[in-house]
Amino acid sequence: MRAVLLVGGFGTRLRPLTHYIPKPMLPVGHRPMIELVVAQLALGGVTEVVLALGFRPEPFRAAFPDDVCAGVPLTYAVEPEPLDTAGAIRFAAEQAGIDETFVVVNGDVLCDLDVSRLVQFHRASGAEGTLHLTAVENPSAFGVVELDDNGSVRRFVEKPPPGTEQSNLINAGTYVLEPSVIARIPAGRKVSIERETFPAMVLDHTLFGLATDDYWMDTGQPPLYLRANLDVLDGHRRHLSCRAVAESAQVGGDVRIEHSLVGEGATVGNRVTLRDSVLLPGARVGDDAVIESSIVAGTVGNSARLSDCVIGSDGRVAAAAVLVASRVPAPIA
Ligand code: GTP
């Protein structure tokens, strides 16, 4: 089974972390997120992954020089310009010559779904497309799905106004599609699968959904990306675990590391306190700093205090600075 992995988005909500690194290359539990996604797909029987991208293909090629990720062969479909989700699927499927049932996955969703269950359900229901669904408390930020008793999708509403949702089941970002879906997508322009293709399939009664209650996380915003990292540390993932401090990190004396990750090559000074935070590879934290609920890829000066902050790889926090809910540098508009 082949899978198209959508990794061509700009990751604007995670800026400044994504100024230089595409979102799927950011680490979760010390490994690039894309590796976790591909490893999970492989467990469910995916044998080849087509990376659908356009924005910054170089970091992917550099990270996987043998064109193998988590033991799975990779091919690349590089869009000349961003085609949005459905446009990207059509472009990638045509480039890769996909002509049988295939899987599509959003590159920023981490989950414990056994994709072979979704494929099985898809085949049994005779669907043209099958969505993985998960239940959330606040569905309005997602594609909200209402199901009939047989699992067919009655309604698909992308990001409905809060309070108007008729269901707490949302599009969880993994799909099984027949090649006929590709023919539904107009060529050569931006097309959103959520706003155009799925609603059209609902009208034709060919879209189905399967809800599961295993681990699921959309990592697109800083607090959720942070949580995804801490979830690996806390043992909330079925097949994943990690240590708090990566092997190549350097940590000074009298450091308190409370519910936090210190990434590869990060440097932590003396008497630092880290709480509910993630230091990304290459982060540098000076002596006596206190960092809470923050993500740091750049440099934090001596005695600085950070709370709910995101510091990009070129971000510098001055010594003794006190920052709350700040992003450094300011996200590029
Ligand atoms: P934001 O800018 O923060 O919304 O993040 P994003 O760019 O990743 O967008 P979003 O989370 O809505 O995208 C969902 C998935 O589709 C992500 O895995 C993106 O990488 C991917 N994606 C979005 N637009 C495109 C596109 O035009 N081409 C490709 N290949 N992938 C896309």
Side-chain angles (χ1 to χ4, degrees):
M1 176 77 55
R2 288 202 273 181
V4 171
L5 189 49
L6 296 173
V7 289
F10 290 104
T12 45
R13 291 165 298 160
L14 277 184
R15 288 176 183 169
L17 298 177
T18 47
H19 281 174
Y20 304 105
I21 301 179
K23 179 165 50 176
M25 289 304 301
L26 289 173
V28 167
H30 306 304
R31 290 166 68 192
M33 216 186 295
I34 186 176
E35 236 179 79
L36 308 190
V37 174
V38 173
Q40 184 64 29
L41 289 173
L43 287 173
V46 166
T47 50
E48 186 187 321
V49 165
V50 184
L51 290 187
L53 46 77
F55 171 63
R56 297 223 177 97
E58 309 82 19
F60 296 96
R61 294 197 194 276
F64 309 110
D66 307 334
D67 294 340
V68 174
C69 172
V72 178
L74 294 178
T75 59
Y76 291 80
V78 183
E79 293 149 48
E81 57 193 352
L83 293 171
D84 208 340
T85 43
I89 292 167
R90 176 179 175 137
F91 183 83
E94 284 182 342
Q95 291 275 308
I98 290 177
D99 57 2
E100 51 192 14
T101 310
F102 65 109
V103 172
V104 174
V105 183
N106 281 352
D108 55 355
V109 162
L110 295 176
C111 66
D112 282 345
L113 171 74
D114 174 358
V115 80
S116 71
R117 267 190 73 195
L118 199 66
V119 173
Q120 233 170 19
F121 177 82
H122 173 86
R123 295 202 197 284
S125 58
E128 186 185 14
T130 300
L131 313 180
H132 174 221
L133 309 176
T134 192
V136 296
E137 274 178 24
N138 300 307
S140 73
F142 302 94
V144 177
V145 175
E146 290 172 45
L147 284 185
D148 280 332
D149 289 343
N150 66 349
S152 109
V153 176
R154 190 186 324 135
R155 251 179 116 215
F156 184 103
V157 189
E158 185 63 13
K159 301 189 175 68
T164 65
E165 317 90 334
Q166 301 291 314
S167 155
N168 67 345
L169 290 180
I170 60 143
N171 169 12
T174 302
Y175 323 128
V176 181
L177 302 179
E178 290 304 308
S180 59
V181 175
I182 299 165
R184 289 176 172 270
I185 302 169
R189 70 164 170 91
K190 286 189 173 187
V191 186
S192 158
I193 198 148
E194 298 88 353
R195 294 185 189 278
E196 286 191 45
T197 318
F198 289 154
M201 292 168 71
V202 171
L203 293 179
D204 293 343
H205 308 288
T206 62
L207 190 64
F208 283 64
L210 176 70
T212 68
D213 59 5
D214 30 32
Y215 180 91
W216 181 85
M217 181 68 69
D218 171 354
T219 62
Q221 300 173 51
L224 302 178
Y225 170 64
L226 178 58
R227 180 127 50 97
N229 272 280
L230 298 179
D231 281 346
V232 181
L233 182 69
D234 292 342
H236 292 329
R237 301 296 309 275
R238 195 177 299 151
H239 304 289
L240 286 175
S241 59
C242 73
R243 53 167 82 188
V245 180
E247 213 164 327
S248 60
Q250 289 177 29
V251 177
D254 257 346
V255 169
R256 294 171 65 178
I257 299 175
E258 300 173 8
H259 197 224
S260 296
L261 291 182
V262 181
E264 297 290 351
T267 311
V268 180
N270 297 313
R271 299 171 303 279
V272 167
T273 299
L274 300 175
R275 196 169 292 129
D276 303 320
S277 293
V278 174
L279 303 187
L280 293 180
R284 305 175 73 84
V285 177
D287 294 340
D288 302 297
V290 178
I291 299 179
E292 292 181 327
S293 305
S294 296
I295 307 162
V296 175
T299 304
V300 176
N302 292 348
S303 304
R305 301 180 75 94
L306 304 183
S307 178
D308 293 309
C309 290
V310 180
I311 313 299
S313 57
D314 55 348
R316 294 183 157 270
V317 176
V322 178
L323 298 184
V324 178
S326 302
R327 296 194 189 199
V328 182
I332 294 169

